[in-house]
Structure formats: structure tokens, C-alpha cells
Amino acid sequence: MSRLIVSRRKFLTASAAGASGLILAGCDQFDFLGQRDHPARDFLERANTLTYQVQRLMAGEQALARTYAESEIRQPQRPNGSVDPTTPDYVALRDGGFADYRLRITGLVERELSFSLDELRNMPGQSQITRHDCVEGWSCIAKWSGTRLGPLLDQAGVKPAARFCVYHCYDVMGGGLAGTEPYYESSDLIDAYHPQTILAYGLNNEVLPVSNGAPVRLRIERALGYKQPKYLHTVELVDSFAGFGQGQGGYWPDHGYDWYGGI
Amino acid sequence: MAIAEGTLPADMPPRAAPAARATAAGLSLVGAVTGGAFTLFLFTAPDLLVPLGIVRPADAVIVSLFAAAAVFMALGGVVALARLGLGGAIALIGVLFWLAACIAFKSFGWLLAVPLGFAVLGALTGMIGNDRVASQADPRLIYRQDVMTRLTHWVWAVAMFFLLLSGLQIFNARPNLYIGQESGFAYQNSILDIYALNREGGPIGQTKLFGTTFDTTGVLGVSDNNGRVSFTAFPGWATIPSYRDLGTGRVVHFFFAWILVGTLLMWLVNAISSGHLWRDIVLKPRDIRGLPRDIWDHVRLRFTHGRSYTPLQKVAYFGVFAVAFPLIILTGLSMSPGMNAAWPWLTEIFGGRQTARTIHFFTMLAFVLFFIVHIAMVVLAGPFNELRSMITGYYRTSTHGEEK
């Protein structure tokens, strides 16, 4: 038995070595998980698909995001990401007061449509006071006014092959050596048709300002801020994300964020 | 106690020692041979491993770690033929070396998992086989932790490690904690802010907690990351990845969150059906009455090693399972906008999303404190016996009298 106890002692020493290895590991030993194409990361990312499917099961298609009272709007909506796009197309539109703005619905639809800002404003509108949750961790409550995306999709006639909406924006991200990439996002048709998914043109009882996405910003209220594309110009119905950006379904998903964005 | 009379639980029938010896030795030796072959290729012809997914060269330290692991596995296998428990323990040292080598090599592919798997099975067969037989001869050596408790314990250890470090990465994206539904930008509702300031002597890190400001240069706000000044709230050595990468932090965090919740459910089902939950975890009036005495015993470092936990241990484990785990999981879910739509009441019981985020953070601190006390108690109460009970399940009991 005494020999056995010696072995336990050895064993403890070795476990201490192992434990300190794990502590040292905190330095940069797991940085390889940051490589987008690493098999270990691919494996971990499967959890995001699980989250998406389980949340769709739990919330269903129609469950609403929580809404708040007017009195709970205590500050202006915090702008984040692009706040003043400089692409020539956008600058021209902005300087013309968005008079020439058209929102297009294209892709897998029976009829490609486009709407002016006035046409959108004259459609049945709705306002909702919701909490905007940024992926960084902060939240901000604001009142968003606009018209629902769902009826416009019905008007265009979504083809049965369509599975997702891709939302194309005027703003570009990045720069420097890697060059710029246009901002885009996407959602499934459940989020596109959700009763709170609106093409927002108003914020806190004012016209939507440039810093928050003028003239039109999409609100997908059951998802994080990066799923609320600003400076929207085209809604394209597609059956896959191949061919857009790096194929992950959005600017931030192309840069390592989960596509679902509901968590 | 009947269980201490040398009988074994029904699910652990005694097995013939020679068969266990042969199995433990065989498994450890297969681990040693496959591990040794891998190390040899890595050292002499790493190109041959490229088609198998090993594309990185290994330096001398890493090759030595792999080699030492294979040597311990082989030694454990040979020793197990004569002394089952000792052989198993030596094979386990090989396992730890192999893990350390994998971490240093930054690779965890299936090729590396094969020797590891065999050696783990060999080590466990040896150590468990030894303790089964030993417990028949020694009435004080009892079977205390069943296989589900042991398995989930180690899975949680790994999962909590990754959850902590990836969680600090996520926190760094917004190193402020608020009270309420939203974050105050036009007004003040934060209770913790970690930030950097530019001063004449260089940048300083500050932490403001409940209105009191502390200088935390070097650790929080401003720190050194491999020779470069980093302006993250928590330093690079405390986050995964070590650099700013919120997307990866979220991938790691949510994966291990699923692992944690899944294994907690498995543990709960087993703990209810086996009686472990009611017998060892749930606090009863008797435990509350025995608490002052047990605290006094702990203060004097006089520990009782019994079939079940002492009152203070029960308070700790009951707190973890009934308060801390539910709290950290539910506040985590409260931060998900998708969950807010599914369960609108959840965020409200915590007083809003930002309060839930704050509670999530402070529950994390409670877990860190638990971890420190947990390790300290294992060391003080007899690390060999405590580790043994979490590896083979067998535990040497004692009474106060024998402790003196």
C-alpha cells in the first residue's frame, strides 16, 4: 500500500504540472480557434446551428419581441457601426434628400418591385418601442416606425425555391489593405415575415437620421444589432448565400459572428 | 454502514484481478505504441503526417513531452502487470503529459486522440480495478462517487475553464455593467466600468466599481500582452482568444454552454434516480444544525471523511447546484433576444437584460471563488484521497478520532 501512496504523490505532482499547463494555456494556446477554417472551430460552430433550431422551436414563428412604454425611452438611440456612409451612390441620394431612393425587391420573386420613400411611408405603418441589443453587450430602448416587410414580399410573390432574404446596404465596412466590403445581412423567411419586422423610416417620432440608417433600416426585433441592416437598398430572395461576400450570409457572419444572431 | 463492510454496490461487481491487469496493461501499451509511433514520425519524418492533418512542425520541447507521455504509458502498462493501481497511476501521468503536449502543440485532432483514449482507458482500468479489489479487504475504502458524478465533474471542469475565458473575451467588448433594461449613454446606470486613460507617464488602467475608482494598471484596463500594450479590460492571458475577437469568444462560449447544460441534465437525472441528490446535495435541517460544529472543525482543519458530505460541504455544493448554476444559465439566456421572445418573463424576473448581464458576471465571480476554495480544500483535506474519489470513485473514510 505504501508504494501505492508514493505513486499518488507522483501523480499529484504530474497533475499540478498539467493544471499549470492549462493556466499557461490561457495565453495563446487556444488562439487557433480564431482561424475561420480550423476543423476544431467548425466543430464548435455546430452549436450555433443547434441554438438556431432550438430557439425556433421554443419561440415559434410569431412570438413577439418585448415592447416598452414611451416613458422607457430615456435617451437617443446610440449609433454604431457605419454612421455616415461615403459611397458616391449614397452621398448623391443623401444630398438629394433621398428623393431618388428606391427600395428594390429582387431575386427569386414573381415580379421584381421597387418603392420610393414616399410610397413606403404611405403604406400601412406601425411603431414599436423595442430594446436594441448590440452583440457587444449594450442595450438601448427606442421607438421604430415603418412598414412591414412581409406584405411587400407577398406583393412581389416569393417563389417556392426562396429560402432566405439577403439585405444589401449602401455602406461599406473595413478598408486598409483588405479593401472595403459592402455591408449586407440576411435572414430566414420566418424573420422576414415576422409581424415586427419592419422597414423603418422613423426613429423616436422623428425622420430616421443618417447615423441610424437613413432612409430605411430593417428591424428584425428578435435578433442582435448586426442583424438590423442600415442604409438598406435591396431585398434579394435567394436559396443560398454562395456568391455573396464570403458566403456566410452577412458582413459580420463573414467575419466570424454567428449567422442567426438571436443569442 | 453496510457499504463499509466490504460489500460492493450492485453495479460494480468484483472482477478477477489477472484479467483487469491484462486489460489495463494492454490498453496502456497500445496507447504507448501508437503514441510512440506518432512521436517518432513527428521527430524523424513529419512530412508523412501531413496527409493525416498534422501540418505544423514540432519543436524539441513538444516532441519531448509527447515522448515522455509515451514512456509513462509504456511504463504504466508494464507495471500494471504486477501492481495494478501503481501501473494505472503511472499511465495517468502519461495521459497528463500527452494533454500538455497537445496543448503546447495546439492540436487536438483524432490522430492525437487515439493514444490518449487508449491510455485513459488503461489508466482507469488499472486504478479502478485496484480499488475494487482493495475495497474488499479494507472496509474503510468505500465506493463514494458513481461514474456519472465523476464523468460530469471533469467535463464541467473543462467546460467552466473555456466558459470563463471566452466569457471574459465577450465582456471585453463592452467592459461596463449596468442596472436595468438598457445601458445608460445619456444617463448613468453602470456599476462597473473598466477603461484606460492617457496620462503623462503613459496609459493607466482604471476600474470603477460602485462609484469607487481603483488603479488597475497592468491587469485591468491596460496590460501587457506578449510585450505589447493591450487596452482590453481583462488581459490577454485571461481570454480566449488572447487577442480581441468577440466572434470567436461567442463561438467558444455557446459551444461549452451547451456542453454544460447537457451534462448538468444528465447528472440531474442520474442524481435523482440514484439518490445522490437527496442524500448528498439537498440541505436538510440536520445539516443546518450541524453547521456551527462543522465550521469550527474546518477552522481547525479537522476534516471528517465520511460516506456523504459534511454540512459545510453540502452548503457549498447545494449552493452551486441549486443557486449558482441555475442563476448563471438563466441570466445567460436572458441576454438572448431570441429567448426574450420565447420566454418574455425570464428577463423580467432578473429586472431587465442589463441587470441579468450584471448578475451573470457576479455569478461568474462566485464560481471563481468556489473554484479557489474547492482546490484549497482538496489540498488541505488530502489530495490523494480526494482525487482518487473523483477518478476511481473510491474514498478512504475516517472518523474524528483517527484524524488525530
Side-chain angles (χ1 to χ4, degrees):
Chain A
M1 220 56 220
S2 62
R3 266 185 236 173
L4 194 66
I5 286 166
V6 172
S7 82
R8 305 271 181 217
R9 211 152 277 158
K10 270 190 205 161
F11 158 72
L12 184 80
T13 316
S15 7
S20 48
L22 263 187
I23 292 162
L24 285 175
C27 289
D28 59 353
Q29 302 302 316
F30 295 104
D31 283 359
F32 67 87
L33 293 171
Q35 298 165 24
R36 222 68 51 66
D37 51 353
H38 198 283
R41 186 197 174 100
D42 289 346
F43 185 74
L44 298 194
E45 280 181 351
R46 290 186 200 177
N48 288 332
T49 312
L50 181 64
T51 303
Y52 168 57
Q53 287 163 346
V54 170
Q55 287 209 355
R56 279 283 179 265
L57 268 178
M58 290 178 75
E61 301 193 358
Q62 299 289 314
L64 298 178
R66 197 206 143 159
T67 54
Y68 295 85
E70 293 267 0
S71 62
E72 287 171 283
I73 306 173
R74 299 178 61 189
Q75 57 188 355
Q77 171 67 20
R78 175 188 170 82
N80 203 29
S82 302
V83 290
D84 191 12
T86 51
T87 50
D89 286 353
Y90 184 78
V91 171
L93 278 176
R94 186 194 63 199
D95 291 347
F98 301 111
D100 296 330
Y101 172 80
R102 308 294 289 180
L103 176 86
R104 293 178 188 81
I105 299 183
T106 62
L108 296 171
V109 288
E110 304 293 344
R111 300 163 286 281
E112 298 209 337
L113 299 176
S114 78
F115 304 94
S116 71
L117 198 50
D118 276 344
E119 285 174 313
L120 291 174
R121 284 175 177 154
N122 284 325
M123 287 174 183
Q126 71 184 45
S127 290
Q128 56 213 27
I129 301 171
T130 52
R131 199 189 63 227
H132 178 99
D133 296 327
C134 180
V135 66
E136 294 168 0
W138 54 266
S139 309
C140 196
I141 293 171
K143 181 180 190 175
W144 301 92
S145 307
T147 187
R148 282 189 57 206
L149 175 61
L152 299 194
L153 295 178
D154 282 340
Q155 215 176 311
V158 175
K159 287 184 177 169
R163 294 176 60 208
F164 308 103
C165 283
V166 174
Y167 309 106
H168 299 280
C169 305
Y170 279 114
D171 59 321
V172 294
M173 302 289 284
L177 288 176
T180 57
E181 297 168 60
Y183 196 92
Y184 75 107
E185 256 303 335
S186 60
S187 76
D188 60 13
L189 295 183
I190 294 173
D191 270 342
Y193 275 98
H194 186 262
Q196 286 171 318
T197 297
I198 58 172
L199 300 156
Y201 44 70
L203 171 61
N204 290 337
N205 299 321
E206 309 273 346
V207 171
L208 184 68
V210 167
S211 61
N212 294 105
V216 170
R217 168 186 212 169
L218 190 73
R219 296 294 307 171
I220 297 177
E221 299 289 3
R222 300 189 299 181
L224 296 170
Y226 67 88
K227 304 296 286 187
Q228 331 284 334
K230 307 196 285 196
Y231 319 108
L232 181 67
H233 63 75
T234 303
V235 177
E236 181 175 357
L237 285 118
V238 299
D239 58 358
S240 101
F241 300 136
F244 301 104
Q246 294 167 34
Q248 301 300 310
Y251 172 78
W252 284 113
D254 283 343
H255 291 263
Y257 289 71
D258 47 301
W259 168 76
Y260 168 50
I263 183 167
Chain B
M1 279 187 293
I3 200 136
E5 299 297 321
T7 57
L8 285 165
D11 61 327
M12 302 290 287
R15 226 164 50 176
R21 281 178 192 171
T23 313
L27 288 166
S28 301
L29 288 171
V30 172
V33 169
T34 52
F38 172 81
T39 311
L40 202 62
F41 276 117
L42 197 62
F43 186 55
T44 58
D47 293 351
L48 292 177
L49 295 173
V50 171
L52 297 168
I54 304 291
V55 291
R56 227 184 342 272
D59 61 23
V61 175
I62 293 167
V63 170
S64 313
L65 282 171
F66 278 122
V71 168
F72 273 111
M73 290 174 193
L75 192 65
V78 173
V79 172
L81 289 170
R83 298 192 66 90
L84 195 53
L86 182 59
I90 295 173
L92 193 63
I93 295 173
V95 166
L96 292 173
F97 267 98
W98 192 264
L99 275 177
C102 288
I103 290 170
F105 194 38
K106 302 177 186 178
S107 189
F108 299 90
W110 61 270
L111 201 60
L112 290 152
V114 170
L116 186 76
F118 278 108
V120 166
L121 290 176
L124 288 178
T125 310
M127 297 173 78
I128 295 172
N130 171 76
D131 281 2
R132 272 181 194 164
V133 178
S135 70
Q136 287 176 322
D138 183 352
R140 291 199 301 142
L141 190 64
I142 59 151
Y143 186 63
R144 185 160 98 146
Q145 307 290 7
D146 72 13
V147 63
M148 186 64 89
T149 302
R150 286 177 275 145
L151 190 69
T152 51
H153 171 270
W154 294 111
V155 173
W156 295 335
V158 172
M160 293 301 277
F161 170 82
F162 282 99
L163 282 165
L164 172 66
L165 272 69
S166 59
L168 296 179
Q169 168 74 245
I170 296 170
F171 174 86
N172 275 357
R174 189 81 210 167
N176 318 80
L177 294 176
Y178 311 88
I179 297 295
Q181 294 285 357
E182 64 173 0
S183 316
F185 298 110
Y187 61 97
Q188 164 65 28
N189 70 338
S190 72
I191 58 156
L192 174 72
D193 307 274
I194 302 176
Y195 50 89
L197 289 175
N198 255 325
R199 287 288 154 83
E200 274 176 34
I204 61 162
Q206 286 195 339
T207 301
K208 198 162 140 192
L209 179 67
F210 295 114
T212 310
T213 305
F214 304 91
D215 188 305
T216 49
T217 311
V219 187
L220 304 178
V222 174
S223 51
D224 176 271
N225 193 0
N226 290 329
R228 283 195 316 199
V229 181
S230 161
F231 295 102
T232 52
F234 282 95
W237 55 260
T239 63
I240 290 177
S242 64
Y243 50 88
R244 207 182 257 283
D245 184 352
L246 174 58
T248 302
R250 283 165 54 81
V251 167
V252 174
H253 203 70
F254 300 149
F255 175 84
F256 284 101
W258 274 111
I259 297 288
L260 178 72
V261 171
T263 48
L264 269 172
L265 286 177
M266 282 164 56
W267 174 85
L268 186 64
V269 168
N270 178 71
I272 291 171
S273 62
S274 72
H276 174 51
L277 187 73
W278 179 249
R279 187 183 60 230
D280 304 319
I281 306 293
V282 175
L283 271 182
K284 299 176 198 69
R286 177 161 37 95
D287 302 312
I288 306 293
R289 284 197 299 276
L291 202 53
R293 169 74 195 266
D294 195 35
I295 291 171
W296 180 231
D297 281 347
H298 275 80
V299 168
R300 293 178 298 163
L301 300 183
R302 286 171 61 175
F303 304 118
T304 312
H305 303 270
R307 174 68 191 85
S308 184
Y309 300 131
T310 70
L312 204 52
Q313 280 181 295
K314 278 198 182 182
V315 168
Y317 294 127
F318 186 72
V320 163
F321 287 112
V323 182
F325 271 133
L327 203 57
I328 208 158
I329 291 166
L330 293 176
T331 50
L333 290 175
S334 291
M335 283 184 260
S336 152
M339 282 306 299
N340 290 171
W343 292 354
W345 47 268
L346 186 63
T347 314
E348 298 316 305
I349 59 175
F350 294 116
R353 180 177 192 257
Q354 291 301 321
T355 311
R357 184 170 175 262
T358 300
I359 297 172
H360 196 74
F361 184 88
F362 282 101
T363 314
M364 173 277 289
L365 289 185
F367 267 107
V368 172
L369 181 68
F370 169 83
F371 175 76
I372 292 168
V373 174
H374 184 61
I375 298 298
M377 295 313 289
V378 165
V379 171
L380 289 172
F384 309 114
N385 200 24
E386 302 294 331
L387 272 170
R388 171 192 224 168
S389 73
M390 243 339 137
I391 294 170
T392 72
Y394 288 88
Y395 188 70
R396 185 171 301 279
T397 55
S398 69
T399 64
H400 273 294
E402 287 161 318
E403 278 291 283
K404 292 169 188 168

